């Protein structure tokens, strides 16, 4: 069944169910709205159908707790669609997947937030199964609480979810459990180019586990008061193209169980109201040109620091609460672009290390350009400020030179020490550069 109109508003509940249709006549329960203008929906005007499609509209906003099994849409403008339980993005008659012309796509399953409802994206005949051009895509599967069955986003192998251009934002996936073809390689499954792919749990305080070896999934559905775990394994990470953003400022601790490397986009952002935990036993934990960590708890430990391989590092507080401590070692040269009132710890680069922006610590902190046996293992301080409060030593250690170009350096409080050590040659690694 199809309805064609200019602007179209659904103002009453609609149920499409042909009692004469059988397994060989699934098209009888299709419902398609075709509009030359906008498609909207008033409160409680729920659409119930086996399959529901939208065609030709300049925009479509249908955010009641609809009840369809399969959804497809092709519009020039934005599309927003919500379903009260499970929802599959697929093919409805001749409409394949969901597409707009450079306009936002927002799709939600389990929109009434009761029970569970997975959001599944299938591989259709379309080149891109979900495409918003230069705009944004947001997919959400709601879960009411930790005791409920976790709703999942499931993106099947072969799917292409795509945005283009260089605008901010990109593709956002929000669910307690997420399956991005977790057991099989599927290149450009999520493709944001150089834009951002954000992978987020729906409920606050949900834990995240990223980078575990394939094919095992780290997803945990507790079904108790204990927090769920959103797991993204190494195969899933490889299926994503774009800068990576993991979790949100209300999310629980993030465990890194394998190397996080963006396929493109070059930036990795970790958000948590808890800690960033190193559970990776080999190689770098995070690789990316730009690494941003927004945390409230500890980042690494003194005995097991977070290993990074990046060019810039920025560390920020979450909701006004700064990290308890930060312990990071970086392979290669590193510029610290800012550090927001972190507790004790160290940042070590091998090497050199450049400090810019505003950097503040509480209780003592060490910045180190580790010695490599070659010249150039230096620290350059070209900052707005580098400060420490609350006691402890503020220390700068370089295998070669320490250069202070700009920015106040202070360690407030009686008896506090600021210490500079240049030419800190390691045993057997001396070079011809006599540091100063």
């Amino acid at each position: 069944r199809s309805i064609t109109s200019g602007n179209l508003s659904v103002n009453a509940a609609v149920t499409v169910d042909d009692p004469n249709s059988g397994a060989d006549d699934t098209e009888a329960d299709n419902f398609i709205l075709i509009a030359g203008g906008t498609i909207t929906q008033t409160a409680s005007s729920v659409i119930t159908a086996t399959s529901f499609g939208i065609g030709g509209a300049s925009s479509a906003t249908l955010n009641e707790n609809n009840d369809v099994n399969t959804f497809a849409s092709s519009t020039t403008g934005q599309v927003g669609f919500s379903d009260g339980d499970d929802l599959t993005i697929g093919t409805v008659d001749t409409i394949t997947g969901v597409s707009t012309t450079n306009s936002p796509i927002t799709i939600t399953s389990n929109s009434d937030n009761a029970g569970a409802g997975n959001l599944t994206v299938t591989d259709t005949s379309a080149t891109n199964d979900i495409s918003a051009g230069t705009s944004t895509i947001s997919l959400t599967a709601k879960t009411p609480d930790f005791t409920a069955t976790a709703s999942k986003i499931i993106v099947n192998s072969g799917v292409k979810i795509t945005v283009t251009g260089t605008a901010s934002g990109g593709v956002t996936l929000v669910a307690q459990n997420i399956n991005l073809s977790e057991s099989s390689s599927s290149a450009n499954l999520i493709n944001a180019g150089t834009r951002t792919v954000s992978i987020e749990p729906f409920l606050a305080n949900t834990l995240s586990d990223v980078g575990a070896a394939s094919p095992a999934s780290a997803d945990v559905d507790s079904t108790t008061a204990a927090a769920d775990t959103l797991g993204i394994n190494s195969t899933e990470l490889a299926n994503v193209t774009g800068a990576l953003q993991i979790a949100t400022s209300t999310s629980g601790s993030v465990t890194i169980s394998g190397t996080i490397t963006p396929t493109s986009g070059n930036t990795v952002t970790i958000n948590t109201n808890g800690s960033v935990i190193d559970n990776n036993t080999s190689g770098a934990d995070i690789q990316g040109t730009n690494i941003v960590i927004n945390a409230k708890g500890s980042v690494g430990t003194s005995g097991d620091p977070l290993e990074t391989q990046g060019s810039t590092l920025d560390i920020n507080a979450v909701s006004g609460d700064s990290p308890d401590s930060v312990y990071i070692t970086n392979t290669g040269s590193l510029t610290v672009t800012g550090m927001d009132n972190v507790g004790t710890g160290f940042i070590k680069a091998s090497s050199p290390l450049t400090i810019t922006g505003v950097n503040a610590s509480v209780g003592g902190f060490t910045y180190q350009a580790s010695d490599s046996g070659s010249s150039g293992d230096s620290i350059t301080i070209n900052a707005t400020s580098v400060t420490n409060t609350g006691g402890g030593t503020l220390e700068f250690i370089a295998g070669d030179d320490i250069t202070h170009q700009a920015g106040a350096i202070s360690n407030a409080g009686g008896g506090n020490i600021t210490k500079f050590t240049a030419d800190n040659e390691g045993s057997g690694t001396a070079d011809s550069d006599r540091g100063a």
Side-chain angles (χ1 to χ4, degrees):
R1 290 163 172 78
S2 65
I3 297 174
T4 303
S5 177
N7 293 333
L8 193 153
S9 177
V10 180
N11 295 325
V14 177
T15 299
V16 178
D17 183 13
D18 186 344
N20 296 316
S21 67
D24 60 346
D25 188 22
T26 56
E27 290 186 0
D29 288 341
N30 287 353
F31 181 40
I32 300 172
L33 297 180
I34 301 172
T38 62
I39 298 176
T40 56
Q41 181 177 38
T42 59
S44 302
S45 300
V46 172
I47 297 170
T48 303
T50 300
S51 299
F52 174 60
I54 297 171
S58 60
S59 70
T61 304
L62 299 162
N63 288 328
E64 292 302 299
N65 297 320
N66 299 295
D67 186 9
V68 305
N69 296 337
T70 302
F71 175 69
S73 174
S74 177
T75 63
T76 56
Q78 68 87 30
V79 60
F81 185 76
S82 298
D83 191 272
D85 50 21
D86 293 316
L87 179 66
T88 296
I89 306 301
T91 300
V92 179
D93 196 39
T94 60
I95 305 170
T96 54
V98 177
S99 64
T100 66
T101 303
N102 304 322
S103 294
I105 295 172
T106 304
I107 299 174
T108 303
S109 69
N110 199 38
S111 57
D112 62 0
N113 208 22
N118 295 339
L119 175 55
T120 302
V121 185
T122 61
D123 184 12
T124 70
S125 61
T127 301
N128 295 304
D129 303 286
I130 303 180
S131 174
T134 58
S135 192
T136 58
I137 296 170
S138 178
L139 306 180
T140 301
K142 291 185 176 183
T143 300
D145 55 49
F146 291 138
T147 65
T149 299
S151 297
K152 300 179 181 180
I153 291 177
I154 302 169
V155 183
N156 292 340
S157 180
V159 164
K160 296 288 188 292
I161 298 176
T162 305
V163 294
T164 60
T166 58
S168 61
V171 178
T172 302
L173 309 174
V174 183
Q176 288 303 95
N177 290 171
I178 294 177
N179 179 342
L180 304 178
S181 185
E182 65 186 21
S183 298
S184 61
S185 176
S186 186
N188 295 322
L189 186 88
I190 312 291
N191 187 357
T194 59
R195 297 171 67 187
T196 301
V197 177
S198 185
I199 300 172
E200 307 171 4
F202 178 72
L203 294 173
N205 300 316
T206 301
L207 306 174
S208 297
D209 193 315
V210 186
S214 311
S217 172
D219 278 336
V220 175
D221 179 8
S222 70
T223 66
T224 70
D228 296 335
T229 299
L230 170 58
I232 300 295
N233 67 30
S234 58
T235 295
E236 294 173 284
L237 286 176
N239 290 339
V240 173
T241 299
L244 289 171
Q245 180 167 294
I246 305 297
T248 72
S249 61
T250 64
S251 302
S253 292
V254 176
T255 297
I256 300 175
S257 296
T259 302
I260 300 174
T261 306
T263 304
S264 71
N266 300 321
T267 298
V268 177
T269 302
I270 306 292
N271 301 305
T272 174
N273 69 4
S275 297
V276 180
I277 301 166
D278 180 4
N279 190 41
N280 180 24
T281 57
S282 62
D285 302 312
I286 303 174
Q287 293 178 325
T289 303
N290 308 303
I291 298 172
V292 180
I293 298 175
N294 305 312
K296 180 179 177 181
S298 59
V299 178
T301 65
S302 57
D304 188 10
L306 193 69
E307 292 93 8
T308 62
Q309 188 173 345
S311 297
T312 70
L313 174 66
D314 193 67
I315 302 174
N316 302 297
V318 169
S319 301
D321 291 317
S322 301
D324 295 334
S325 58
V326 171
Y327 296 94
I328 292 175
T329 60
N330 188 80
T331 299
S333 63
L334 178 67
T335 297
V336 179
T337 57
M339 196 170 67
D340 192 359
N341 285 321
V342 306
T344 57
F346 58 69
I347 295 174
K348 300 179 180 180
S350 56
S351 183
L353 177 65
T354 301
I355 304 169
T356 66
V358 176
N359 297 268
S361 57
V362 180
F365 203 84
T366 298
Y367 301 88
Q368 182 169 357
S370 301
D371 185 62
S372 66
S374 300
S375 60
D377 300 322
S378 300
I379 292 177
T380 300
I381 303 167
N382 189 17
T384 303
S385 60
V386 183
T387 62
N388 182 71
T389 57
T393 300
L394 177 60
E395 188 165 13
F396 303 86
I397 304 172
D400 293 311
D401 302 325
I402 299 176
T403 302
H404 182 200
Q405 295 179 340
I409 299 173
S410 68
N411 193 356
N416 290 0
I417 297 172
T418 300
K419 184 177 181 180
F420 301 85
T421 304
D423 199 33
N424 187 61
E425 306 286 4
S427 176
T429 59
D431 56 55
S432 59
D433 184 352
R434 310 283 15 112

